[in-house]
Amino acid sequence: MEPVADDRQSHFQQIRTRAVSEMADIGVDAEFIPVLVDTFYDRVRNHPQLGPVFEARLAGQWPEHLAKMKRFWSAVAFKDGGYQGKPVMAHQGIANLEAPLFKVWLGLFSETLDDIAPSAEAKDWFMATAERIAKSLVLSLFYNPADDDPARGSA
């Protein structure tokens, strides 16, 4: 069974190597991730809509959350396997979290990238990724298939 394990390890290493190269091509290195996370979440904490929602959930836990978000974005960008969380579960039951806030979150993320992304390509990559993540979370947290049922009609 060792050859299968070696093949799998080699495959994952190839994925990681390719991701590091692709990130380097757009000007992103490992040092960018903490800057992105810290800058963005400083802005979140001060945002009139997002700040209270995040603070209610994370009061006293910001250092842990920031460390987790750094592992998350590093895993997404560099395919390093450093994040093992469950994002949908982590967002369930957050008081006052509503679907429209994800657009606000994305807008603030975009503004942050406008200010700190090392290239337009980096901004595009991180925004496309954030948009996919936000869409997935909104669908997972708020979508009700019954809302699309044509038999329900509109009254």
Side-chain angles (χ1 to χ4, degrees):
M1 280 206 173
E2 280 188 35
V4 171
D6 288 344
D7 287 348
R8 184 175 297 155
Q9 190 66 22
S10 175
H11 175 71
F12 288 130
Q13 186 57 46
Q14 289 173 3
I15 290 170
R16 289 182 193 113
T17 300
R18 186 171 56 242
V20 168
S21 176
E22 289 170 356
M23 287 293 109
D25 288 346
I26 62 174
V28 174
D29 59 17
E31 288 77 35
F32 176 70
I33 300 299
V35 172
L36 172 62
V37 170
D38 289 339
T39 303
F40 175 64
Y41 281 100
D42 279 348
R43 293 174 182 196
V44 165
R45 291 180 86 168
N46 291 305
H47 192 276
Q49 290 174 282
L50 297 173
V53 174
F54 277 80
E55 187 60 30
R57 179 67 168 230
L58 297 172
Q61 300 173 40
W62 278 100
E64 296 87 352
H65 181 69
L66 295 174
K68 184 183 291 185
M69 292 299 92
K70 290 170 187 173
R71 286 191 309 274
F72 172 80
W73 280 106
S74 181
V76 171
F78 298 106
K79 312 291 189 257
D80 63 18
Y83 178 78
Q84 301 298 319
K86 295 179 171 46
V88 173
M89 289 179 65
H91 289 84
Q92 290 175 331
I94 296 178
N96 299 312
L97 180 62
E98 299 171 352
L101 285 178
F102 283 86
K103 286 189 180 183
V104 176
W105 184 94
L106 285 168
L108 193 60
F109 196 70
S110 178
E111 291 172 15
T112 301
L113 289 167
D114 282 340
D115 293 341
I116 67 167
S119 68
E121 295 83 7
K123 180 188 179 183
D124 292 346
W125 189 91
F126 278 92
M127 278 308 303
T129 302
E131 288 165 355
R132 282 192 304 275
I133 292 165
K135 182 177 182 177
S136 174
L137 286 171
V138 167
L139 287 171
S140 296
L141 296 170
F142 303 106
Y143 177 66
N144 180 352
D147 292 341
D148 289 337
D149 185 355
R152 291 182 67 186
S154 56

